[in-house]
Amino acid sequence: RAQLLFYILPIFSCYCSELRKKQGRQVQHLRRVGSCPMATRCQFENSNDVGVFAKLTNAYCLVALGGSENFYSVFEAELADHIPVVKTSIAGTRLVGRLTVGNKNGLLVPNTTTDQELQHIRNSLPDEVVVQRIDERLSALGNCIACNDYVALVHPDVDKETEEIIADVLGVEVFRQSIAGNVLVGSFACFTNQGGVVHPQTSVEDLDELSSLLQVPLVAGTTNRGSDVIGAGLIANDWSAFCGLDTTATELSVIESIMKLRDSQPSKIVSEMRASLVDSMV
């Protein structure tokens, strides 16, 4: 009997282990299928400015090289089943989000991007995405341009030639704009084809004007516990968003509502914010 137990116990423990793994996979699958898409909080090496180190569109996601594996895995877990998540550097730096601008049609990189970086990005992105290096004096393209798949807002001093390249490569209408008196439109706005968030001091008149240009609903808001640099604290596409770890429950609620990341109507936002305030106070 002792010999029989000696042989049976390892088999039984193996079977239990496999059963637990299978149940875990099923639960994980149910969570993924049953849950609504929501904004995810994350950090890049203790920095909450995720928009500085990553660029997200409906066709691809660029993430800075050299960050912790946790940062990369957050994006991979949410996006890898749908779009490629590419580790890269731009001009030898990790400021991927601030130096590039793109949408599902294309990606623009500054002229300081090396040939190796350009080739790596072209090899990693889908064939239909056009990758082009442009010679622009305002080389932090992510700070000077904000766009979705149809419209781009650009810095008023961008070259005419650059404006034509933006329209051609990204397939968008281009408007020279400022947001709340700030010419760095890419730093102070983040919008998708569903909706967007802009600088908290944007006037109602400016909000209406921008909203009619973009043809999407906009809201004045903040990220990372009151930061007005929206482009640095938030990146988003039509079904997911990532923001800094310091972003409050109230800020998350506003982002998820305006970008339609869950089945939430704008009229419900007040009750959601109340619930979020109670939640954050507790």
Side-chain angles (χ1 to χ4, degrees):
R1 193 175 292 169
Q3 282 182 335
L4 192 62
L5 282 171
F6 179 80
Y7 288 111
I8 288 173
L9 277 173
I11 296 167
F12 182 73
S13 64
C14 251
Y15 171 77
C16 288
S17 175
E18 284 302 314
L19 192 63
R20 277 196 299 272
K21 282 181 188 172
K22 189 176 179 182
Q23 285 173 337
R25 280 195 295 269
Q26 285 171 341
V27 169
Q28 196 174 12
H29 175 71
L30 283 169
R31 279 180 188 150
R32 195 172 293 132
V33 171
S35 61
C36 297
M38 294 191 33
T40 305
R41 293 183 180 111
C42 55
Q43 269 189 327
F44 183 91
E45 293 184 356
N46 295 324
S47 171
N48 290 303
D49 295 329
V50 294
V52 172
F53 304 103
K55 173 66 66 182
L56 177 60
T57 73
N58 287 330
Y60 54 87
C61 177
L62 302 182
V63 181
L65 270 174
S68 64
E69 201 59 37
N70 286 349
F71 183 72
Y72 180 72
S73 65
V74 167
F75 289 92
E76 204 167 38
E78 292 291 323
L79 305 171
D81 291 343
H82 310 287
I83 57 175
V85 181
V86 182
K87 282 182 177 176
T88 187
S89 61
I90 299 291
T93 74
R94 300 190 289 185
L95 310 178
V96 172
R98 296 301 86 205
L99 296 179
T100 65
V101 65
N103 61 14
K104 69 172 185 182
N105 303 314
L107 175 70
L108 297 175
V109 296
N111 62 345
T112 48
T113 307
T114 66
D115 293 339
Q116 291 89 342
E117 288 167 343
L118 196 62
Q119 195 58 50
H120 168 60
I121 292 168
R122 280 182 174 147
N123 292 341
S124 305
L125 297 192
D127 294 338
E128 61 270 18
V129 176
V130 180
V131 183
Q132 187 163 331
R133 186 163 45 187
I134 60 172
D135 190 11
E136 167 57 49
R137 182 176 58 86
L138 302 168
S139 59
L141 302 176
N143 286 336
C144 300
I145 305 162
C147 71
N148 60 14
D149 293 338
Y150 305 102
V151 184
L153 304 179
V154 303
H155 190 295
D157 298 335
V158 160
D159 292 342
K160 182 67 179 170
E161 187 185 340
T162 301
E163 186 182 331
E164 289 168 4
I165 292 170
I166 293 166
D168 184 43
V169 173
L170 303 185
V172 293
E173 283 187 86
V174 181
F175 299 99
R176 292 174 185 263
Q177 276 289 332
S178 62
I179 294 175
N182 297 291
V183 290
L184 295 176
V185 288
S187 299
F188 296 102
C190 176
F191 55 89
T192 67
N193 302 327
Q194 306 294 326
V197 185
V198 296
H199 191 286
Q201 291 176 5
T202 307
S203 66
V204 175
E205 292 78 15
D206 285 354
L207 265 179
D208 288 342
E209 183 189 346
L210 290 169
S211 191
S212 63
L213 284 178
L214 302 173
Q215 293 295 297
V216 297
L218 295 176
V219 68
T222 59
T223 60
N224 290 327
R225 209 177 289 275
S227 169
D228 57 9
V229 190
I230 307 294
L234 171 69
I235 54 173
N237 64 13
D238 287 354
W239 70 87
S240 61
F242 300 86
C243 51
L245 205 61
D246 280 352
T247 303
T248 65
T250 309
E251 290 168 338
L252 269 181
S253 179
V254 172
I255 291 163
E256 289 169 356
S257 178
I258 199 70
M259 292 186 169
K260 299 179 175 65
L261 293 177
R262 53 182 171 171
D263 299 325
S264 176
Q265 300 301 318
S267 58
K268 292 182 187 173
I269 199 166
V270 175
S271 58
E272 284 176 0
M273 285 170 72
R274 280 180 190 147
S276 300
L277 280 167
V278 172
D279 184 37
S280 57
M281 284 170 73
V282 171

